[in-house]
Amino acid sequence: MIDQCIVGAFVVSLVGLVLLYTQLIIKGKPSKKFKPSSSVSSKSDQWKADEYTADSVSFDRRQASPEKGGEERTDVIIVGAGVAGAALAHTLGKDGRRVHVIERDLTEPDRIVGELLQPGGYLKLIELGLEDCVKDIDAQRVFGYALYQDGKHTKLSYPLEKFDADIAGRSFHNGRFIQRMREKAATLPNVRLEQGTVTSLIEENGVVKGVQYKTKNGQELTAYAPLTVVCDGCFSNLRRSLCDPKVDVPSCFVGLILENCQLPFQNHGHVVLADPSPILFYQISSTETRCLVDVPGQKLPSIYNGEMANYLKTVVAPQVPPQLYDAFIAAIDKGKIRTMPNRSMPANPHPTPGAILLGDAFNMRHPLTGGGMTVALSDIVVLRDLLRPLHDLHNPSVLCEYLESFYTLRKPVASTINTLAGALYKVFCASPDPARNEMRQACFDYLSLGGICSTGPVALLSGLNPKPMSLVLHFFAVAVYGVGRLMIPFPSPKKMWLGARLLSGASGIIFPIIRAEGVRQMFFPATIPAYYRAPHVKH
């Protein structure tokens, strides 16, 4: 019966894809500001790659910088030196660009998120030559997840058989990781890291020329470059001029550190499908385990009057695995409880000459699946490969049109991870709706089947197989599997109605996320004209 359900799942999934195409393709938006001068042909598709070389884009650097009295200018200004900014600074600096990084605070960050790097992200770290940044910071190897629900559990391993032994996820203190990348970037003679707060972008006739910022000592300065990359994080105050930010805050994380406790499954993240929403556990050092309790909504119990401690002890603690209960209570009593809003924001850029967005300033997803750093590092690889053939960046309008291809080329990885994060969070949360709870149970049971039912979704989650079509197939396979469970041992009108609501609810979860990501960009990137503006490189 299970085999029949799985076969049926794939059949229905294919039907779902047809519906997805016919119902949503019309709503897919073409890339903004694209105004082709002629119909797309094999010649125009390539956009005359030579047009972007130093020879044809002749530009006198002394003329380009009247503000600096003719002195040689920076090639790229990077706003922010978090994971994205520091990694990009090293990458572009290594390629010979003169990079000026302006970061609000260069001391070691202390955050409760950005502590888990998926294997797909680690592969990108290797591709960027930054893999040594996870060494000597007491980082822990991660080989998969353990999933808990109602006293049952299942172990989900990353499909790493085809990779070298070093390939795995990594978990660590976020600040230690960022400091290592900053230090490595600063070793390059053409990379300058400066502490300062960027207050605004400098625009002239719609072109971003640079930034205005305050130094650590309060001095107001300006910096100019042909390209400014804004990656100042989830609280970005510059993104509004470069994109249409539609930020959603579905929940908040409450963070604790459990000390000197052993996880039931070593070197695995632990996800508890609790009520009302998931609880996460993973090691961030040899002696510390991070616990993140998801609390739906934006209103949290007060930490200061003891409401939060009481909530954690009475509502959350009874649902924690027994092996972690004592350490969980001890962490609450220690009092170091921290919170962080979980933000989600689809990438909706306004292509702007002279500037580009990156990292959490550009695109965010629920951090349940730990995919943020993987998306950021993947984006940096795409941007690096696009910029490498360009010897001169001083033609802003041409460069802007050329870099519009970035928004399409990044989509397979980014949209897969974004969609999975949003969909899994909604499925994993408890609900008063019986159909939603059936979907939640079906997801747990489907993953517990093993084989492709386990390795397929985990490969998506880990960034090792970022294929949107595979995501949709598995998502609807879970839904159909859930319907099949309801029909056993025999269907009834009530069960059939519940099954129909389950399928409808599954569609209601994933289709809006896909629409926000962009149907054409996600599934049919080759139909986007900007896809052809850059030389094709292997990603």
Side-chain angles (χ1 to χ4, degrees):
M1 179 62 70
I2 289 176
D3 291 339
Q4 293 174 351
C5 288
I6 293 174
V7 172
F10 284 102
V11 173
V12 174
S13 297
L14 290 174
V15 175
L17 288 176
V18 174
L19 292 175
L20 173 70
Y21 179 84
T22 56
Q23 293 179 12
L24 298 180
I25 189 64
I26 298 175
K27 298 182 181 180
K29 295 181 181 179
S31 115
K32 291 185 178 181
K33 294 189 180 181
F34 173 63
K35 297 178 181 179
S37 58
S38 61
S39 59
V40 177
S41 64
S42 59
K43 183 177 180 180
S44 61
D45 283 351
Q46 295 181 17
W47 277 81
K48 301 179 182 179
D50 290 343
E51 190 174 69
Y52 303 99
T53 64
D55 293 337
S56 57
V57 185
S58 57
F59 204 99
D60 190 332
R61 290 184 185 275
R62 290 171 297 177
Q63 294 178 2
S65 187
E67 305 90 349
K68 295 289 184 178
E71 70 179 68
E72 195 170 350
R73 273 171 51 169
T74 301
D75 292 319
V76 181
I77 292 171
I78 298 176
V79 182
V83 171
L88 181 65
H90 176 267
T91 300
L92 296 183
K94 195 171 61 173
D95 280 356
R97 306 287 185 187
R98 295 182 302 278
V99 181
H100 183 187
V101 185
I102 306 171
E103 163 58 36
R104 181 182 60 83
D105 186 358
L106 285 173
T107 60
E108 183 173 307
D110 183 14
R111 304 179 67 204
I112 65 171
V113 293
E115 298 173 316
L116 177 63
L117 180 65
Q118 297 286 2
Y122 184 65
L123 287 171
K124 296 299 179 183
L125 206 65
I126 293 173
E127 195 170 348
L128 294 170
L130 290 166
E131 67 273 18
D132 57 342
C133 291
V134 298
K135 296 178 180 178
D136 302 322
I137 60 172
D138 202 13
Q140 305 297 300
R141 291 159 66 85
V142 182
F143 297 110
Y145 286 87
L147 196 60
Y148 285 76
Q149 184 186 28
D150 298 332
K152 298 185 294 183
H153 65 266
T154 185
K155 181 180 173 184
L156 310 172
S157 298
Y158 294 137
L160 300 173
E161 298 81 8
K162 297 180 181 179
F163 297 95
D164 294 338
D166 182 54
I167 305 301
R170 294 292 192 280
S171 54
F172 39 67
H173 281 271
N174 172 268
R176 296 175 187 174
F177 178 55
I178 288 175
Q179 287 300 89
R180 286 298 306 274
M181 288 202 292
R182 289 173 177 175
E183 291 165 4
K184 185 157 185 177
T187 61
L188 298 173
N190 50 329
V191 174
R192 175 190 173 198
L193 265 69
E194 182 179 8
Q195 184 162 308
T197 302
V198 175
T199 55
S200 63
L201 301 175
I202 299 172
E203 288 192 50
E204 295 178 11
N205 301 319
V207 177
V208 174
K209 299 285 189 177
V211 300
Q212 187 167 9
Y213 68 102
K214 287 185 178 180
T215 66
K216 184 179 180 180
N217 298 324
Q219 185 181 8
E220 292 193 3
L221 297 176
T222 55
Y224 296 91
L227 180 62
T228 298
V229 183
V230 176
C231 41
D232 53 347
C234 60
F235 300 104
S236 173
N237 62 347
L238 302 175
R239 66 160 69 102
R240 288 191 176 276
S241 59
L242 301 175
C243 75
D244 182 17
K246 296 178 181 177
V247 180
D248 181 35
V249 184
S251 66
C252 295
F253 269 155
V254 178
L256 300 165
I257 289 184
L258 282 56
E259 297 181 342
N260 299 310
C261 71
Q262 187 170 342
L263 290 170
F265 295 90
Q266 284 294 98
N267 300 107
H268 283 68
H270 290 58
V271 182
V272 182
L273 304 188
D275 187 357
S277 52
I279 309 166
L280 307 180
F281 296 93
Y282 51 90
Q283 280 189 269
I284 56 174
S285 76
S286 54
T287 60
E288 298 165 300
T289 296
R290 170 65 71 193
C291 171
L292 294 173
V293 178
D294 185 86
V295 179
Q298 301 180 38
K299 187 175 181 180
L300 292 171
S302 172
I303 294 176
Y304 302 104
N305 65 12
E307 288 180 0
M308 178 63 78
N310 182 63
Y311 173 82
L312 293 174
K313 286 183 177 181
T314 58
V315 176
V316 180
Q319 303 181 76
V320 168
Q323 302 95 319
L324 303 175
Y325 181 86
D326 290 340
F328 183 77
I329 296 296
I332 298 170
D333 291 337
K334 195 169 183 178
K336 293 184 178 179
I337 303 172
R338 302 176 59 192
T339 63
M340 176 75 179
N342 295 324
R343 289 173 167 82
S344 177
M345 185 184 79
N348 192 8
H350 299 154
T352 305
I356 193 168
L357 279 167
L358 207 65
D360 283 349
F362 173 48
N363 183 205
M364 294 180 283
R365 76 291 308 147
H366 195 285
L368 172 69
T369 59
M373 289 189 289
T374 299
V375 172
L377 294 171
S378 175
D379 284 353
I380 290 169
V381 170
V382 173
L383 185 59
R384 176 202 66 182
D385 291 343
L386 286 172
L387 291 177
R388 268 184 172 171
L390 309 188
H391 303 294
D392 196 323
L393 306 177
H394 288 82
N395 192 323
S397 59
V398 171
L399 180 64
C400 179
E401 283 192 310
Y402 174 78
L403 288 182
E404 277 193 61
S405 59
F406 166 76
Y407 304 119
T408 300
L409 295 174
R410 69 180 293 272
K411 273 295 179 180
V413 174
S415 61
T416 300
I417 293 173
N418 294 344
T419 304
L420 183 63
L424 271 186
Y425 177 70
K426 291 185 177 181
V427 170
F428 281 177
C429 286
S431 171
D433 182 357
R436 285 284 294 273
N437 284 329
E438 285 290 340
M439 181 70 177
R440 187 191 199 203
Q441 186 63 52
C443 187
F444 180 88
D445 291 346
Y446 180 85
L447 292 170
S448 300
L449 291 174
I452 188 63
C453 299
S454 169
T455 58
V458 174
L460 292 164
L461 182 148
S462 63
L464 295 172
N465 181 36
K467 295 181 179 178
M469 199 69 74
S470 179
L471 167 61
V472 173
L473 284 170
H474 279 288
F475 187 82
F476 279 102
V478 170
V480 175
Y481 175 75
V483 174
R485 289 172 65 253
L486 287 171
M487 299 300 109
I488 298 173
F490 57 86
S492 68
K494 182 178 179 180
K495 289 181 177 180
M496 293 175 67
W497 172 242
L498 187 60
R501 288 179 55 207
L502 190 157
L503 286 173
S504 175
S507 300
I509 287 173
I510 198 168
F511 283 176
I513 302 173
I514 290 174
R515 188 179 297 119
E517 288 293 318
V519 178
R520 287 179 65 194
Q521 293 91 336
M522 187 169 174
F523 293 99
F524 313 104
T527 69
I528 307 296
Y531 179 81
Y532 300 97
R533 297 183 189 177
H536 288 283
V537 290
K538 185 178 180 181
H539 298 296

